[in-house]
Short mmCIF file of all heavy atoms in Angstrom, two decimals:
data_model
loop_
_atom_site.label_atom_id
_atom_site.label_comp_id
_atom_site.label_asym_id
_atom_site.label_seq_id
_atom_site.Cartn_x
_atom_site.Cartn_y
_atom_site.Cartn_z
N LEU A 564 141.33 45.09 150.31
CA LEU A 564 142.56 44.41 150.73
C LEU A 564 143.46 45.35 151.52
O LEU A 564 144.09 44.95 152.50
CB LEU A 564 143.31 43.87 149.51
CG LEU A 564 142.62 42.73 148.76
CD1 LEU A 564 143.32 42.45 147.45
CD2 LEU A 564 142.57 41.47 149.61
N LYS A 565 143.52 46.60 151.10
CA LYS A 565 144.34 47.57 151.82
C LYS A 565 143.83 47.76 153.25
O LYS A 565 144.62 47.89 154.19
CB LYS A 565 144.34 48.91 151.08
CG LYS A 565 145.28 49.94 151.71
CD LYS A 565 145.36 51.19 150.86
CE LYS A 565 144.19 52.10 151.09
NZ LYS A 565 144.21 52.73 152.44
N LYS A 566 142.53 47.76 153.43
CA LYS A 566 141.94 47.98 154.75
C LYS A 566 141.99 46.73 155.62
O LYS A 566 142.18 46.82 156.82
CB LYS A 566 140.50 48.45 154.61
CG LYS A 566 140.32 49.77 153.87
CD LYS A 566 140.95 50.93 154.61
CE LYS A 566 140.18 51.35 155.83
NZ LYS A 566 140.74 52.56 156.46
N ARG A 567 141.82 45.57 155.02
CA ARG A 567 141.65 44.35 155.82
C ARG A 567 142.89 43.47 155.88
O ARG A 567 143.09 42.74 156.86
CB ARG A 567 140.49 43.51 155.26
CG ARG A 567 139.12 44.15 155.39
CD ARG A 567 138.03 43.10 155.19
NE ARG A 567 138.12 42.08 156.21
CZ ARG A 567 137.88 40.78 155.99
NH1 ARG A 567 137.57 40.36 154.78
NH2 ARG A 567 137.96 39.91 156.96
N LEU A 568 143.72 43.49 154.84
CA LEU A 568 144.80 42.51 154.74
C LEU A 568 146.19 43.11 154.95
O LEU A 568 146.99 42.57 155.71
CB LEU A 568 144.74 41.82 153.37
CG LEU A 568 145.81 40.77 153.08
CD1 LEU A 568 145.74 39.61 154.08
CD2 LEU A 568 145.65 40.23 151.64
N TYR A 569 146.47 44.21 154.30
CA TYR A 569 147.83 44.75 154.32
C TYR A 569 148.00 45.81 155.41
O TYR A 569 147.15 46.68 155.58
CB TYR A 569 148.18 45.32 152.95
CG TYR A 569 148.22 44.26 151.87
CD1 TYR A 569 147.38 44.32 150.76
CD2 TYR A 569 149.10 43.19 151.97
CE1 TYR A 569 147.42 43.34 149.77
CE2 TYR A 569 149.14 42.20 150.99
CZ TYR A 569 148.31 42.28 149.89
OH TYR A 569 148.35 41.31 148.93
N LYS A 570 149.13 45.73 156.11
CA LYS A 570 149.35 46.59 157.27
C LYS A 570 149.80 48.00 156.88
O LYS A 570 149.61 48.94 157.62
CB LYS A 570 150.40 45.96 158.19
CG LYS A 570 149.97 44.64 158.81
CD LYS A 570 151.07 44.04 159.66
CE LYS A 570 150.65 42.71 160.26
NZ LYS A 570 151.75 42.10 161.06
N PHE A 571 150.44 48.12 155.71
CA PHE A 571 150.98 49.41 155.29
C PHE A 571 150.25 49.87 154.03
O PHE A 571 150.02 49.09 153.12
CB PHE A 571 152.48 49.32 155.03
CG PHE A 571 153.27 48.87 156.22
CD1 PHE A 571 153.69 47.56 156.34
CD2 PHE A 571 153.60 49.77 157.23
CE1 PHE A 571 154.41 47.13 157.44
CE2 PHE A 571 154.32 49.36 158.34
CZ PHE A 571 154.72 48.04 158.45
N SER A 572 149.94 51.16 153.99
CA SER A 572 149.13 51.71 152.90
C SER A 572 149.79 51.54 151.54
O SER A 572 149.12 51.37 150.53
CB SER A 572 148.85 53.20 153.16
OG SER A 572 148.12 53.75 152.10
N GLY A 573 151.13 51.61 151.48
CA GLY A 573 151.80 51.58 150.19
C GLY A 573 152.06 50.21 149.62
O GLY A 573 152.66 50.08 148.55
N ILE A 574 151.61 49.15 150.30
CA ILE A 574 151.89 47.79 149.82
C ILE A 574 151.06 47.45 148.59
O ILE A 574 151.56 46.92 147.61
CB ILE A 574 151.62 46.75 150.93
CG1 ILE A 574 152.67 46.88 152.03
CG2 ILE A 574 151.63 45.33 150.35
CD1 ILE A 574 152.46 45.93 153.18
N ARG A 575 149.76 47.75 148.64
CA ARG A 575 148.84 47.33 147.58
C ARG A 575 148.49 48.52 146.67
O ARG A 575 147.90 49.49 147.11
CB ARG A 575 147.57 46.75 148.20
CG ARG A 575 146.50 46.26 147.22
CD ARG A 575 147.04 45.29 146.21
NE ARG A 575 146.00 44.45 145.62
CZ ARG A 575 145.24 44.81 144.57
NH1 ARG A 575 145.37 46.00 144.03
NH2 ARG A 575 144.34 43.95 144.09
N THR A 576 148.91 48.44 145.41
CA THR A 576 148.54 49.46 144.45
C THR A 576 147.21 49.09 143.79
O THR A 576 146.90 47.92 143.60
CB THR A 576 149.61 49.61 143.36
OG1 THR A 576 149.78 48.35 142.70
CG2 THR A 576 150.94 50.04 143.95
N TYR A 577 146.44 50.10 143.45
CA TYR A 577 145.20 49.86 142.69
C TYR A 577 144.84 51.13 141.95
O TYR A 577 145.14 52.25 142.38
CB TYR A 577 144.07 49.39 143.60
CG TYR A 577 143.83 50.21 144.84
CD1 TYR A 577 142.75 51.08 144.93
CD2 TYR A 577 144.66 50.09 145.96
CE1 TYR A 577 142.53 51.82 146.08
CE2 TYR A 577 144.45 50.83 147.10
CZ TYR A 577 143.38 51.69 147.16
OH TYR A 577 143.15 52.44 148.28
N ALA A 578 144.20 50.97 140.81
CA ALA A 578 143.95 52.09 139.91
C ALA A 578 142.66 52.82 140.24
O ALA A 578 142.53 54.01 139.98
CB ALA A 578 143.92 51.61 138.46
N ASP A 579 141.69 52.09 140.78
CA ASP A 579 140.40 52.69 141.09
C ASP A 579 139.79 51.97 142.27
O ASP A 579 140.40 51.06 142.85
CB ASP A 579 139.47 52.63 139.87
CG ASP A 579 139.26 51.21 139.36
OD1 ASP A 579 139.62 50.25 140.07
OD2 ASP A 579 138.75 51.04 138.24
N ILE A 580 138.59 52.38 142.65
CA ILE A 580 137.89 51.76 143.77
C ILE A 580 136.61 51.13 143.27
O ILE A 580 135.84 51.75 142.52
CB ILE A 580 137.58 52.79 144.87
CG1 ILE A 580 138.89 53.31 145.49
CG2 ILE A 580 136.70 52.19 145.97
CD1 ILE A 580 138.71 54.40 146.51
N ASP A 581 136.39 49.88 143.65
CA ASP A 581 135.19 49.15 143.25
C ASP A 581 134.23 49.04 144.43
O ASP A 581 134.64 48.64 145.53
CB ASP A 581 135.56 47.76 142.75
CG ASP A 581 136.34 47.79 141.45
OD1 ASP A 581 137.57 47.97 141.49
OD2 ASP A 581 135.71 47.65 140.39
N LEU A 582 132.98 49.37 144.18
CA LEU A 582 131.94 49.28 145.19
C LEU A 582 130.78 48.44 144.66
O LEU A 582 130.44 48.52 143.48
CB LEU A 582 131.42 50.68 145.56
CG LEU A 582 132.43 51.67 146.13
CD1 LEU A 582 131.78 53.05 146.26
CD2 LEU A 582 132.97 51.19 147.47
N LEU A 583 130.19 47.65 145.55
CA LEU A 583 129.02 46.85 145.20
C LEU A 583 127.80 47.44 145.89
O LEU A 583 127.79 47.61 147.12
CB LEU A 583 129.21 45.39 145.64
CG LEU A 583 128.04 44.44 145.40
CD1 LEU A 583 127.77 44.25 143.92
CD2 LEU A 583 128.30 43.08 146.08
N LEU A 584 126.79 47.77 145.12
CA LEU A 584 125.56 48.36 145.64
C LEU A 584 124.68 47.27 146.25
O LEU A 584 124.39 46.27 145.61
CB LEU A 584 124.82 49.06 144.50
CG LEU A 584 123.64 49.97 144.82
CD1 LEU A 584 124.07 51.13 145.70
CD2 LEU A 584 123.02 50.48 143.52
N PHE A 585 124.28 47.45 147.51
CA PHE A 585 123.41 46.47 148.17
C PHE A 585 122.07 46.37 147.45
O PHE A 585 121.58 45.28 147.18
CB PHE A 585 123.18 46.88 149.63
CG PHE A 585 124.01 46.12 150.62
CD1 PHE A 585 125.37 46.35 150.73
CD2 PHE A 585 123.44 45.19 151.47
CE1 PHE A 585 126.15 45.67 151.65
CE2 PHE A 585 124.20 44.49 152.39
CZ PHE A 585 125.56 44.73 152.48
N ASN A 586 121.48 47.51 147.15
CA ASN A 586 120.14 47.53 146.55
C ASN A 586 120.16 48.39 145.30
O ASN A 586 120.52 49.58 145.35
CB ASN A 586 119.12 48.10 147.54
CG ASN A 586 119.03 47.27 148.81
OD1 ASN A 586 118.72 46.09 148.78
ND2 ASN A 586 119.32 47.90 149.95
N LYS A 587 119.76 47.81 144.16
CA LYS A 587 119.74 48.55 142.91
C LYS A 587 118.82 49.77 142.99
O LYS A 587 119.02 50.75 142.29
CB LYS A 587 119.29 47.63 141.76
CG LYS A 587 120.31 46.59 141.37
CD LYS A 587 119.82 45.71 140.23
CE LYS A 587 119.73 46.48 138.93
NZ LYS A 587 119.39 45.61 137.79
N GLU A 588 117.81 49.70 143.88
CA GLU A 588 116.87 50.82 144.04
C GLU A 588 117.58 52.08 144.55
O GLU A 588 117.05 53.19 144.42
CB GLU A 588 115.74 50.44 144.98
CG GLU A 588 114.83 49.31 144.48
CD GLU A 588 115.48 47.93 144.61
OE1 GLU A 588 116.48 47.81 145.36
OE2 GLU A 588 115.00 46.99 143.95
#
Side-chain angles (χ1 to χ4, degrees):
L564 292 170
K565 185 174 81 69
K566 298 296 286 186
R567 295 196 62 217
L568 179 61
Y569 295 120
K570 295 178 181 178
F571 301 100
S572 178
I574 290 178
R575 180 54 158 84
T576 58
Y577 50 105
D579 57 13
I580 294 176
D581 292 84
L582 300 173
L583 177 66
L584 191 61
F585 259 72
N586 300 301
K587 289 180 69 174
E588 295 76 16

